[in-house]
Amino acid sequence: SLEHRLRTNPNSADAHYLLGILDADGDAPSARAHFRSYLDVAPRGEHAAEVRSRLAELAIREEARTTEASRLVPVPSVEGRRP
């Protein structure tokens, strides 16, 4: 498994890349960690440009979720309060 490969070789760029791909839709923090590890190990690797793009996409998704969540938070009413 990929996890076993990372335990035996924590600098496996391929394992970090593939785990990042697998985690991207379900576990964004884990995907980001694996993608960053990939870039630490292989900053000019075969998938470096794609990994940078995927990190940017994850950041955009997180920003969109944060923005949407802030719209759903109720704002306390100030009516009836004295200044």
Side-chain angles (χ1 to χ4, degrees):
S1 78
L2 293 170
E3 288 88 3
H4 175 72
R5 188 167 178 184
L6 281 180
R7 281 192 298 275
T8 59
N9 180 9
N11 292 325
S12 173
D14 289 337
H16 283 296
Y17 168 74
L18 291 172
L19 284 167
I21 296 292
L22 292 172
D23 289 345
D25 288 327
D27 187 352
S30 178
R32 278 193 299 275
H34 284 297
F35 286 147
R36 288 182 184 132
S37 293
Y38 174 90
L39 291 174
D40 287 344
V41 173
R44 293 188 180 126
E46 177 182 357
H47 304 289
E50 176 190 350
V51 166
R52 286 184 182 92
S53 176
R54 287 181 178 269
L55 280 168
E57 180 182 327
L58 287 169
I60 290 167
R61 280 195 225 160
E62 180 62 27
E63 178 65 27
R65 273 194 290 275
T66 302
T67 301
E68 183 63 26
S70 69
R71 289 183 193 153
L72 299 176
V73 174
V75 177
S77 173
V78 293
E79 292 179 22
R81 293 186 182 172
R82 294 183 187 173

